[in-house]
Amino acid sequence: MTWLFFSSSLAARGEGTEEEEAYTHNNNSLCFGFKRFPGEMERGIDGWDLKAMDAEQLRENAHKMVDFIADYYQSIESFPVLSQVQPGYLRELVPDSAPHLPESLEQVLQDVKEKILPGVTHWQSPNYFAYYPSNSSIAGFMGEMLSAGLNIVGFSWITSPAATELEMIVMDWLGRLLNLPDDFLSKGQGGGVIQGTASEAILVVLLAARDKVQTKMGKRTLEKLVVYTSDQTHSALKKACQIAGIFPENFRVIETDASTNYALSPGMLEEAVSHDVSSGLVPFFFCATLGTTSSTAVDPLATLGEIAKKYELWFHIDAAYAGCACICPEYRPYLDGVEEADSFNMNAHKWFLTNFDCSALWVKDRNALIQSLSTNPEFLKNKASQANLVVDYKDWQIPLGRRFRSLKLWMVLRLYGVANLQQYFRNHIDLAKHFDGLVRGDSNFEVVTPRIFSLVCFRLAPQNSDEDLRNQLNRGLLDAVNSTGKIFISHTVLSGKYVLRFAVGAPLTEERHVSEAWEVIQLEASVILGKVSNTSRG
Ligand code: PLP
């Protein structure tokens, strides 16, 4: 097959007529191409200006890209943190179809500056305080680069032994740093695996638990299987239940409130489980959270673990954000009770300086995952797998293909070292304490739940205002603050109260950013309060 390309040099000269540029059918083959121009070389893939892969071109272009990214970080504070574009903005700015002929990297980077960056919300900005952080770091970035450079697809051990083995080793390292029980490490029946997201981690353990109970009790039990969780658990669990076919009426959401700081009450869990048992249902899965998404509530893992054990529930702990800080000895007690868990996950891509995506999952019984998720088609068979000598991570996850993610975690652990990582979390937590103090110092505001890690839940709560007005004020305040582009914060609702969330955790955030953020919030609040008092006077 021959492709005749209209050369980029000719295109740049603008010498191709419309007619010449039209597709013409190449009679000798079933493909399409451009007419050849007098004097133009016939160009195949070898004639591309930018080759598919060439070491020198890679060096030159990747250097330019690294410079571009470094410049971005240098000027990151000049962008509005929350993108201020309107839905659909990009359609107006880019062509309807892909270019037929190559463009230059410079042209593309110019478009990135002019068209893409305005539509980017700057998660790495030091003024980013929304949701939970999603850290980038030099080490994580380089690991990601190396992974992209090698670009292997490590689904089975044989497809790149180093990818599987490094993942096992790094997950053992991280497991030891968290002081997880040995059962979670690879030398026993358990082990760690890197999933893309906490949502995938939760889904795979739910599937493993479902299949384990069904193996024991029969496939027909599906309609009786019950899952337990709290109203603060991340929606990832609900989605996992939808995918796993759990009957919606068997998804038990246990209410929490301010009396436990939104932690799940063991008494309520036990009551729900024993009620279901007496109704002939089959409780099988319970998910607790260390650091809930709304307010970093910590469920009492040890007591909950005992209940899970008593009723033979698969006990999963989701520590997506707060688990990162548990490598500090002073935060490790929050993890007490993990000994009773069947599985545990934390997102290194949240706060652990590891570029997205990297969600660490450990299980005590890896066979449960494998039983549920393995397939063994002829085309993937190989001696090492057949002889059961190796781990094939394809059987621990939903997709077949998998990236060499352990490289970035390995780089982060080696290039920063545990001592610096611990210091990193402590610093963010100190900054959150600082913010907490600023809020408490202003009588128009209140801190809504006790701060545990680096998230402060607070709200504008002027005296003599009722709940409706407070909710309205805080909705307005959130919009006003984020519209300034100076900072980005997010919100949640706790017991009907509209609450603002200030999550410290971006790698570049310093005390001055926190103090300035507070000034922005106070200023916008004073405008809003001014309007309210004018209206009530008027
Ligand atoms: N679990 C908790 C506690 C979270 O806070 C989040 C996200 O913020 C998730 C799960 C979902 O994480 P992912 O995007 O990795 O699926």
Side-chain angles (χ1 to χ4, degrees):
M1 260 189 358
T2 327
W3 281 81
L4 298 179
F5 278 109
F6 178 47
S7 88
S8 52
S9 57
L10 192 64
R13 292 203 301 271
E15 289 173 14
T17 64
E18 241 176 73
E19 191 193 308
E20 285 165 334
E21 285 173 33
Y23 282 116
T24 57
H25 193 253
N26 177 339
N27 290 328
N28 298 328
S29 66
L30 288 176
C31 71
F32 294 91
F34 281 101
K35 262 188 185 164
R36 212 195 298 175
F37 288 83
E40 283 296 318
M41 289 270 295
E42 187 174 307
R43 312 188 81 199
I45 207 162
D46 289 340
W48 288 8
D49 289 342
L50 182 65
K51 298 195 170 95
M53 185 45 81
D54 171 272
E56 284 313 315
Q57 283 195 339
L58 172 68
R59 196 186 309 283
E60 187 193 328
N61 286 279
H63 272 120
K64 285 185 193 163
M65 185 56 90
V66 169
D67 280 342
F68 182 87
I69 296 168
D71 288 346
Y72 166 70
Y73 276 97
Q74 224 156 31
S75 57
I76 197 165
E77 289 189 53
S78 65
F79 299 100
V81 189
L82 174 66
S83 168
Q84 306 285 317
V85 299
Q86 295 303 312
Y89 88 102
L90 197 53
R91 281 245 171 259
E92 308 284 304
L93 301 178
V94 298
D96 283 342
S97 51
H100 192 69
L101 296 169
E103 298 179 65
S104 69
L105 179 61
E106 283 69 23
Q107 282 172 303
V108 176
L109 291 181
Q110 194 55 35
D111 275 356
V112 173
K113 275 190 194 159
E114 290 170 8
K115 300 168 184 172
I116 301 297
L117 287 184
V120 166
T121 289
H122 300 275
W123 285 66
Q124 305 312 320
S125 164
N127 297 314
Y128 177 96
F129 302 103
Y131 313 117
Y132 279 137
S134 183
N135 284 180
S136 170
S137 71
I138 300 172
F141 177 79
M142 290 197 299
E144 188 69 56
M145 240 176 141
L146 187 53
S147 166
L150 300 178
N151 201 41
I152 59 96
V153 186
F155 46 80
S156 304
W157 177 86
I158 195 172
T159 63
S160 264
T164 299
E165 297 197 11
L166 186 65
E167 186 159 330
M168 293 169 71
I169 292 166
V170 170
M171 289 299 290
D172 281 350
W173 280 12
L174 191 53
R176 283 197 201 96
L177 283 181
L178 289 162
N179 202 6
L180 294 184
D182 281 357
D183 307 354
F184 284 110
L185 306 183
S186 63
K187 66 182 175 195
Q189 304 299 309
V193 55
I194 301 178
Q195 304 280 333
T197 58
S199 306
E200 288 158 82
I202 294 168
L203 173 60
V204 295
V205 295
L206 181 76
L207 293 173
R210 181 200 65 184
D211 292 351
K212 195 171 174 179
V213 70
Q214 288 198 307
T215 304
K216 206 163 101 191
M217 305 189 69
K219 288 281 171 209
R220 287 171 188 252
T221 49
L222 184 61
E223 66 185 281
K224 295 189 171 174
L225 299 184
V226 191
V227 170
Y228 301 83
T229 183
S230 98
D231 58 3
Q232 300 300 312
T233 303
H234 194 275
S235 52
L237 178 62
K238 182 150 196 284
K239 190 184 266 196
C241 288
Q242 285 165 214
I243 297 170
I246 303 305
F247 281 44
E249 62 271 29
N250 292 347
F251 182 64
R252 298 273 174 277
V253 179
I254 295 163
E255 270 183 38
T256 60
D257 60 30
S259 68
T260 59
N261 291 324
Y262 300 95
L264 199 152
S265 139
M268 286 171 78
L269 174 69
E270 179 147 25
E271 202 183 309
V273 176
S274 67
H275 179 266
D276 286 335
V277 171
S278 52
S279 310
L281 294 171
V282 182
F284 84 107
F285 188 90
F286 164 58
C287 178
T289 309
L290 191 177
T292 58
T293 312
S294 277
S295 67
T296 59
V298 178
D299 291 334
L301 303 179
T303 325
L304 292 168
E306 282 166 24
I307 298 168
K309 195 170 175 182
K310 179 170 163 193
Y311 292 93
E312 295 182 41
L313 308 179
W314 180 296
F315 177 26
H316 178 72
I317 299 173
D318 175 12
Y321 149 78
C324 301
C326 293
I327 68 158
C328 301
E330 67 273 31
Y331 292 102
R332 175 57 180 76
Y334 288 112
L335 245 184
D336 287 353
V338 68
E339 311 77 47
E340 298 300 341
D342 295 282
S343 48
F344 169 79
N345 75 273
M346 66 148 253
N347 280 356
H349 66 235
K350 276 193 166 19
W351 195 10
F352 208 85
L353 287 173
T354 309
N355 292 42
F356 189 84
D357 54 351
C358 186
S359 180
L361 168 71
W362 290 265
V363 291
K364 269 190 188 158
D365 174 10
R366 61 174 174 260
N367 273 326
L369 273 187
I370 295 168
Q371 290 292 321
S372 194
L373 300 171
S374 89
T375 52
N376 193 17
E378 185 57 39
F379 51 83
L380 297 182
K381 285 185 180 153
N382 64 83
K383 278 190 199 149
S385 301
Q386 296 301 102
N388 237 338
L389 295 174
V390 292
V391 162
D392 287 332
Y393 274 129
K394 71 179 176 56
D395 299 334
W396 300 44
Q397 62 173 23
I398 306 293
L400 173 71
R402 63 197 324 270
R403 307 172 62 227
F404 200 162
R405 293 191 189 100
S406 55
L407 281 173
K408 55 189 170 186
L409 193 48
W410 192 51
M411 292 253 188
V412 165
L413 290 167
R414 293 188 63 187
L415 296 180
Y416 296 129
V418 176
N420 280 328
L421 288 166
Q422 289 171 333
Q423 200 41 45
Y424 178 72
F425 301 123
R426 289 178 183 133
N427 179 46
H428 283 157
I429 293 170
D430 283 346
L431 293 180
K433 280 183 197 162
H434 171 57
F435 184 82
D436 187 289
L438 294 170
V439 176
R440 287 178 194 277
D442 184 331
S443 59
N444 277 327
F445 284 86
E446 67 177 15
V447 172
V448 179
T449 53
R451 181 211 50 77
I452 307 178
F453 298 97
S454 68
L455 170 74
V456 181
C457 289
F458 70 107
R459 64 175 187 158
L460 187 54
Q463 282 172 355
N464 304 326
S465 55
D466 63 15
E467 286 303 331
D468 282 350
L469 178 61
R470 287 178 178 190
N471 286 349
Q472 204 185 313
L473 290 175
N474 283 287
R475 269 195 204 95
L477 182 57
L478 183 79
D479 280 349
V481 161
N482 289 339
S483 305
T484 65
K486 291 180 184 159
I487 62 169
F488 179 29
I489 59 174
S490 59
H491 82 281
T492 189
V493 173
L494 292 169
S495 304
K497 293 178 184 171
Y498 193 93
V499 173
L500 305 180
R501 296 172 75 265
F502 189 89
V504 183
L508 289 167
T509 303
E510 296 170 15
E511 187 174 323
R512 69 184 166 92
H513 299 107
V514 173
S515 303
E516 283 163 22
W518 175 239
E519 281 168 23
V520 173
I521 294 166
Q522 272 189 317
L523 183 69
E524 295 304 323
S526 66
V527 174
I528 288 176
L529 290 176
K531 277 188 199 149
V532 171
S533 64
N534 284 344
T535 321
S536 55
R537 245 185 268 131

